[in-house]
Amino acid sequence: LHGDIFTEKCPTCHKEYIRNYEISTIGLQPTGRYCTSGGDPPGSCTGALIDTLLDWEDALPEVDWERSQVECAKAELILCLGTSLRIEPAGGLCTLGTGLGYVDAGAAEWDLDCGGYLDVDVASKKKSKKKGRKRHQLPPKKLGYVIVNLQETPYDDGATLVIRAKVDDVMERLMSKLGYGSDWDGNDDDDRVDEHEQGQDGKNGDDEDED
């Protein structure tokens, strides 16, 4: 919701680029690079890329905010990993895991009873009885939310479980318990856009080294 320090995007075609280095700008500002693989046909867009990190005055992306509410409302259990949960309204999303939270009226109407439905007009974010409105079956049982964070959060008291530990340590043990190996995160360098793939001028070439 608040952006990714490793991601930049094209505001023209909405193509996202995940880098293996930190993006140096903040506040949806131009990064100095250009889109090389977006557009129709692919590669036809040359829009200027911007960072995805929100500054204090920036509004939440509507599509992402709406989807986050829908997914949290559908979830049986929500994991809050390495977050202070102090930035609202995103911090309050965890309460949707208890069945007692709320979804913005403009984004959805939903029945708090177990087994009810979450009704969402994703396209317009308005209450609607038109055909095509998405209906999501709520999980039969809400398990609440689990917080993994070294510091206290405003939502600790309502959590099903609070773990005071580093996220990496907890996830390594959890994934091992579930039968996954050390490569469970699925990171593959081939899936990322290498820092030398695209020059600052948007053409293929080597970027200058930065200290």
Side-chain angles (χ1 to χ4, degrees):
L1 281 177
H2 299 133
D4 184 344
I5 197 171
F6 295 103
T7 302
E8 53 189 337
K9 67 180 180 181
C10 176
T12 302
C13 69
H14 308 294
K15 172 73 175 180
E16 290 189 344
Y17 294 83
I18 301 176
R19 307 299 188 185
N20 57 8
Y21 56 93
E22 295 182 5
I23 307 302
S24 60
T25 59
I26 187 174
L28 309 179
Q29 297 300 309
T31 63
R33 287 173 287 273
Y34 295 85
C35 186
T36 58
S37 59
D40 186 16
S44 62
C45 182
T46 58
L49 301 182
I50 61 174
D51 66 79
T52 61
L53 293 171
L54 301 185
D55 210 341
W56 289 106
E57 67 274 11
D58 295 322
L60 290 174
E62 290 189 10
V63 173
D64 295 333
W65 171 236
E66 182 175 289
R67 181 182 176 187
S68 67
Q69 295 178 83
V70 172
E71 296 299 332
C72 286
K74 290 164 53 181
E76 294 183 17
L77 176 69
I78 295 176
L79 304 181
C80 307
L81 305 176
T83 171
S84 67
L85 297 175
R86 294 183 182 277
I87 304 299
E88 298 295 352
L93 286 171
C94 62
T95 62
L96 295 176
T98 66
L100 300 177
Y102 66 92
V103 176
D104 282 353
E109 295 178 323
W110 63 308
D111 187 348
L112 292 179
D113 295 333
C114 289
Y117 284 91
L118 172 66
D119 298 344
V120 184
D121 182 354
V122 176
S124 66
K125 291 189 64 178
K126 296 180 180 179
K127 298 178 183 179
S128 174
K129 294 183 179 180
K130 296 180 180 180
K131 293 182 178 180
R133 182 174 62 177
K134 294 186 177 181
R135 291 176 64 83
H136 302 284
Q137 180 72 44
L138 289 177
K141 183 179 180 179
K142 287 287 191 178
L143 301 178
Y145 58 93
V146 173
I147 295 174
V148 181
N149 201 52
L150 293 175
Q151 299 174 321
E152 294 182 357
T153 81
Y155 292 94
D156 284 0
D157 290 344
T160 303
L161 176 66
V162 177
I163 303 175
R164 297 279 181 243
K166 293 183 177 180
V167 172
D168 285 350
D169 294 340
V170 173
M171 292 305 297
E172 284 179 3
R173 294 187 182 187
L174 174 60
M175 299 308 288
S176 175
K177 190 72 173 179
L178 293 175
Y180 291 88
S182 59
D183 59 346
W184 60 268
D185 60 0
N187 280 340
D188 188 334
D189 291 339
D190 292 339
D191 293 332
R192 291 175 174 265
V193 178
D194 188 80
E195 61 183 320
H196 297 301
E197 178 179 318
Q198 186 183 59
Q200 293 291 336
D201 60 356
K203 301 177 180 179
N204 291 335
D206 292 343
D207 291 340
E208 294 182 0
D209 292 335
E210 296 180 0
D211 295 331

